[in-house]
Amino acid sequence: MEILHSQGEIIRDRYQIVTIIGTGSMATTYAAVDLSNSQRVALKVLSLEQTDDWKALEMFEREAKVLANLHHPFIPQYLDYFELDRDSDHRFYLVQELVEGESLAALVEKNWQPNEAEVKDIARQILDILVYLHSLSPPVIHRDIKPQNIIRVREAYP
């Protein structure tokens, strides 16, 4: 997947790119700063030019709509959604609160070995989120729970 934005670039006169957080099959996520309030945000970008499947766009838009209606302390807050035309490309942007920390996958790669209490705490938090999501009407099903998508916040570990 081609890099869509470079470090320091400003999107929509508001979001300044800091670094790439990750790339997936349909989008690239960047850490950015909201210049209107200095908040660090996650900026997820889907390029129509790089997408060969309309289903990806449909899923991206659905994700934004669902996230806009979620309010839970362990789910990054939805902040913005917008579209921009750039040269021969149309891009879709989802902005969320940036969770500062490391994924469980990254921690395990660094030989992190949690104790039983830590594992139970992580499990309780994940279950709390799932209970919340499943209690909504209609229920929200998270289809991508994996160590790469579970972030342990910096305050929680030395």
Side-chain angles (χ1 to χ4, degrees):
M1 181 170 283
E2 177 187 332
I3 303 300
L4 301 171
H5 297 290
S6 57
Q7 185 177 9
E9 186 177 346
I10 298 174
I11 311 302
R12 199 181 186 205
D13 297 323
R14 182 171 176 179
Y15 302 105
Q16 186 170 26
I17 301 298
V18 175
T19 189
I20 293 178
I21 295 174
T23 56
S25 59
M26 68 176 200
T28 301
T29 304
Y30 299 86
V33 175
D34 182 340
L35 298 174
S36 72
N37 59 16
S38 300
Q39 179 181 4
R40 288 179 51 89
V41 298
L43 187 71
K44 189 173 184 179
V45 185
L46 173 72
S47 163
L48 202 54
E49 182 180 55
Q50 293 183 7
T51 303
D52 55 1
D53 182 7
W54 285 100
K55 188 74 173 167
L57 174 57
E58 180 184 319
M59 290 174 61
F60 190 83
E61 289 178 324
R62 184 181 324 152
E63 177 182 4
K65 287 176 185 172
V66 169
L67 287 171
N69 293 302
L70 299 181
H71 306 286
H72 188 282
F74 298 150
I75 298 173
Q77 181 182 2
Y78 166 92
L79 300 170
D80 198 4
Y81 179 83
F82 58 94
E83 302 174 25
L84 292 177
D85 281 317
R86 292 182 57 114
D87 302 325
S88 63
D89 194 9
H90 191 81
R91 296 179 184 172
F92 302 83
Y93 295 80
L94 170 60
V95 185
Q96 285 184 272
E97 166 189 27
L98 179 64
V99 177
E100 301 283 356
E102 289 188 81
S103 72
L104 293 185
L107 289 168
V108 168
E109 284 179 18
K110 294 178 178 179
N111 295 317
W112 174 65
Q113 297 180 359
N115 61 39
E116 183 178 343
E118 290 172 311
V119 172
K120 284 181 178 180
D121 187 50
I122 292 167
R124 271 191 217 97
Q125 291 179 41
I126 293 169
L127 289 171
D128 186 54
I129 294 167
L130 291 174
V131 167
Y132 166 73
L133 293 174
H134 295 182
S135 70
L136 297 173
S137 183
V140 173
I141 307 300
H142 191 302
R143 298 179 190 268
D144 202 17
I145 298 173
K146 59 187 179 185
Q148 292 85 347
N149 291 341
I150 300 170
I151 306 298
R152 189 162 187 236
V153 295
R154 289 204 167 97
E155 299 88 52
Y157 60 96

